[in-house]
Every structure is written in C-alpha cells, then in structure tokens.
Amino acid sequence: MSSTELPETPAAASLAPRVGAVRVAEGEELRSVSLPGLTLTVRSRPGDARPGLEPALYVHGLGGSSQNWSALMPLLADRLEGEALDLPGFGDSPPPDDGNYSITAHARAVIRLLDSAGRGPVHLIGNSLGGAVSTRVAAVRPDLVRTLTLVSPALPEIRVQRSAWPTALVALPGVASLFARLTRDWNAEDRTRGVMALCYGDPGRVSPEGFEAAVQEMERRLQLPYFWDAMARSARGIVDAYTLGGQHGLWRQAERVLAPTLLVYGARDQLVSFRMARRAAAAFRDSRLLTLPDAGHVAMMEYPETVAQAVRELIDESAGDHRGDDRGNRS
C-alpha cells in the first residue's frame, strides 16, 4: 500500500535556523530525525520505557507542539512507550523543504516517521489539526495504527462556530502577515492569555508555572522567521481539507478507519463544535465517545487524568478483541 495519497513535490526551501531553546520537562528527551526533505523533532520519556510496552505516537494541533502532551504522556508511561512529534514548522521542527503544510503533507510526515523507525502499529493520539492528520493516517495506512484517539479533531463542519472564524481567516493570503504587523506591540503574556482563553474551557486551571512556561514558548516562537507562514499554511491546509470531497474527504476517510477509536470532545470547545461529537461517533465504525462538560479544545492538557483513563480502557478493549480473534483463529 502506498504511504501517501499525493506525490511529494520537489524541495523548494532550505531549513530555517533554530531560535532559542525548547522547554524539556523532567524525564523528557528530544531527538532529531532527518528524512529526505524533512527534519522532525521527537519528544520521548526514555526513562519510563521498559520491555513489553506498546508504542504510541502523539500528534499536536495547529500552533501547538509536542509539549502539548507533556501532561498526558507520563500518565500512560506504564502502558505505552510514547513519543510526541513536532509537526513540520512547529515546535522545534523546521519547515519542510517543499513548503507543503497540507493535511496530506502532515500525514505523510507522520507516516514517514513511523516507517523509518519501524514502530507501527502504534496507538495514535491526535488533537485538533493532529486529529485530522491522524484520521488520514489511520485511513490510508491501517497497518500503522493499533488504536486511534482523537481529542477535538478538526473534521469538516458545515457551520463553523463564530469563535473559530479568526483561526480560519488566518488561512487567507496576506491575513497572517497583516495580523503580525497589527499585533507587533502585543507582549508574549497577552498573546498567551488570548490563546488560553480560546483553547481552555477554564484558563484558571493553568498553574502559574504552566503559564510562565507557555509565555516563554510564545516568546521563542515569535522569534522564528517562519512562525506566521507555518500557521497560515497549516490553517489553509485545514480549510482545503474541509472542502475536499470524494474518497479523500476527511469524513469519508473516517468511515474507512478500522482501528478502535476513542473520541474526546469538550462542551466548552470554541474551535471544534461540541455538536460534531455525535456525527464523529457515527462515522468511525468502532468508536467510543468521551464528552467532558467543562473542557475546551485541549482536554488532554485540562483533564489529563480523565483522558488517560479513557485511553487505558480503549487499549484494554482492543487487547481483549485481539485475544478473542486469536482464540477464534485457533478453534
């Protein structure tokens, strides 16, 4: 089976310089994976790894990074050998050489990472943009995905919430650069508060230490010469995916996913409508739904213990199904 749905385009951009240092929590390590035309940073917890653990890969959302999983990963470290990647142009990963930030390109990056390491099948866990990317990966490469967990996945909506319109507008040509000029006097603290107000059901749940770490990361990102370009092109990729029909449409691909799937939606999500939860549960053939009344767009950061427990239950159910299949094959 082909690893991608669209051919790769020739390299057109060199890797941008790295700026500042990325935060690494206690017990975490970063490594760089070089692939043709692509360099990815991967975050892991090697001290937690031990024989027999199943592999997992965490995929962040638009404007996020592998740090978005630092609260959830240790809670599952006794069950999963987890790795979280920085998608191209985000976190500590430089832009892709071809400048392609489409959903397909991001999915291709995930597939190439898994293929290069031979880690599949993995428990694939994605949020927002990463949820759309993970859906595509699970649909086109079912051999790479053991279970699928989607936290507020960015699947197409007919009526987008008004609170999500500014994010969609970033996709329009010139808007990102205009916004960057209009907000150049905003400090990192104000920007961080704005992001948290948009993404969290209750920003008050963020600890002072967590807020300070987020401000430092915002300061670092704003120094990256490609920050706004990566945001705009990735947002455009989401919008393009929303309009894509046929077998490559995300809802059609959701129907093709074979892996047992956990869907997590927050009732206070301002970016992905809570009303999409039931449609998603109907689209994925082997799904279970977790709804959190007080969560926003990043439930894995707001309620990591609750999400971790749901992932454990998904893994247990999946393992039980596999054992049942094995018993049936032996009879």
Side-chain angles (χ1 to χ4, degrees), residues 57-245:
L57 183 67
Y58 300 82
V59 188
H60 65 81
L62 181 66
S65 75
S66 57
Q67 294 184 59
N68 291 23
W69 303 104
S70 290
L72 183 64
M73 286 176 65
L75 299 178
L76 292 168
D78 63 321
R79 296 292 303 274
L80 300 175
E81 183 186 351
E83 293 186 346
L85 87 158
D86 289 328
L87 289 170
F90 294 94
D92 206 34
S93 292
D97 280 5
D98 61 9
N100 190 343
Y101 289 94
S102 66
I103 297 292
T104 295
H106 283 314
R108 182 186 298 129
V110 172
I111 289 169
R112 291 176 63 192
L113 175 65
L114 291 174
D115 277 342
S116 69
R119 292 189 78 230
V122 299
H123 297 280
L124 188 59
I125 303 172
N127 168 236
S128 190
L129 164 66
V133 169
S134 298
T135 297
R136 182 150 294 178
V137 172
V140 303
R141 287 294 302 273
D143 59 304
L144 291 178
V145 182
R146 187 180 303 277
T147 68
L148 181 64
T149 296
L150 305 176
V151 182
S152 295
L155 299 175
E157 300 182 38
I158 296 176
R159 292 185 295 109
V160 178
Q161 298 181 103
R162 288 187 178 181
S163 53
W165 287 359
T167 302
L169 288 174
V170 171
L172 297 176
V175 171
S177 58
L178 174 62
F179 184 76
R181 291 195 300 271
L182 292 176
T183 63
R184 61 177 175 267
D185 293 332
W186 294 12
N187 60 40
E189 287 192 10
D190 290 338
R191 292 178 187 271
T192 301
R193 287 193 182 92
V195 170
M196 289 184 171
L198 184 63
C199 292
Y200 280 73
D202 178 10
R205 292 181 61 87
V206 181
S207 68
E209 296 78 14
F211 179 77
E212 180 58 32
V215 170
Q216 292 175 5
E217 175 62 11
M218 179 65 73
E219 291 173 339
R220 188 193 71 84
R221 292 182 186 183
L222 291 172
Q223 297 177 52
L224 296 171
Y226 53 82
F227 171 76
W228 287 110
D229 186 61
M231 284 287 291
R233 289 176 183 267
S234 290
R236 196 171 304 149
I238 295 175
V239 173
D240 288 345
Y242 274 33
T243 61
L244 194 63

Side-chain angles (χ1 to χ4, degrees), residues 12 23 35 38 48 65 71 84 94 160 164 180 192 196-197 200 212 233 245 270 279 291 294-295 297 303 313 324 328:
R23 181 175 180 270
L35 301 167
L38 194 67
D48 296 329
S65 75
V160 178
T192 301
M196 289 184 171
Y200 280 73
E212 180 58 32
R233 289 176 183 267
Q270 299 181 66
R279 179 177 180 181
T291 59
D294 296 320
H297 192 60
Y303 298 94
E313 293 171 0

